[in-house]
Amino acid sequence: MKINFLYIAALLLSLQACGQTAKLPAAVAPARMEEKDFELENFIPGNFSQLSVDALGNVYVITDANQLRKYNEKGDSLSAYDNVKKYGKPGFVDVSNPLKILLYYPNFSTAVTLDRLLTFRNSLNLRSLQIFSVKALSISYDNQLWVFDEQDNKLKKISEDGTLLSASNDLRVVLPFTISPQSLVDKNNNVYLYDSSRGFTIFDYYGSLKNTIPLLHWQQVSVNDNFISGISAGSLLLYSLKDKIVRGYTLPAFLQQVQGLKAMNNRLYVLVKTGVEIYRIK
């Protein structure tokens, strides 16, 4: 995928404006992907509104019948959760832990957890914990809940019964800018907060700030063992956690106008109007 150099220029301007001192990730020569670079392996038919993919290659979608459905990478239906709309429309589905699925309902500030069979486990109203402004949360490595409390500007860890286990310092004290993360990922012994206007802010499991990575204006961000992936300006972007390099690949025309993309396990999962297409990247 071709790296968008307007994006790079905007990134430089943003860094100058906020006084951020983090280095820009290095970029390698751009590449262009063609339709022949993708092999369609499977297709899951349906009218879906959201797409998530776990590390095992299982696909999760919200159907037009307001179900959360789980499919394996072959397209076989595995299980379903029917009570999705109990708290309104879910803002997102977190499948970073395939054994504990998280649904978050921002209008009700309510987190619902399910097991691997999509059986209800628990619900937690964050307002009852005096946490009123949350957009980003995720299951932690030890099956607790990470929450970024925008009112306090703190990363908090909460048990399933609502006990506050830990909290970071107020980030307004340790960062030269404020963040409003859209996503939160527990991976590689770190907690990654992503704000598309600021990039990644990375913490250890004790809530101490470790690093920032100024990857701006990415969408549908995923963190894997070796890289961070995202979509920007019609390109699939990969940031190597080892080499600190951004590689860009221009998506072919047939992937430019789709409803959602996820790059996982050397595959591209594509949400289209008629279902989910699963491509192997050659």
Side-chain angles (χ1 to χ4, degrees), residues 37 101 104-105 125 171 192:
D37 297 321
I101 309 305
Y104 180 57
Y105 299 85
N125 188 311
L171 295 189
Y192 296 79

Side-chain angles (χ1 to χ4, degrees), residues 141 186-192 202-206 210:
Y141 72 97
D186 182 323
K187 191 72 175 178
N188 306 323
N189 297 316
N190 292 314
V191 181
Y192 296 79
I202 304 170
F203 298 83
D204 64 21
Y205 283 156
Y206 300 99
K210 290 185 65 176

Side-chain angles (χ1 to χ4, degrees), residues 154-204:
K154 293 181 179 181
L155 174 65
K156 297 180 177 180
K157 190 176 185 181
I158 300 169
S159 70
E160 197 167 51
D161 66 3
T163 302
L164 178 64
L165 301 175
S166 65
S168 70
N169 293 325
D170 187 332
L171 295 189
R172 290 168 294 195
V173 176
V174 297
L175 289 173
F177 50 82
T178 59
I179 63 172
S180 179
Q182 296 90 41
S183 63
L184 188 160
V185 180
D186 182 323
K187 191 72 175 178
N188 306 323
N189 297 316
N190 292 314
V191 181
Y192 296 79
L193 293 176
Y194 185 68
D195 178 341
S196 62
S197 65
R198 298 297 188 185
F200 280 93
T201 307
I202 304 170
F203 298 83
D204 64 21

Side-chain angles (χ1 to χ4, degrees), residues 35 52 128 222 243 246 258:
E35 189 167 352
S52 301
S128 68
S222 298
D243 302 329
V246 174
V258 297

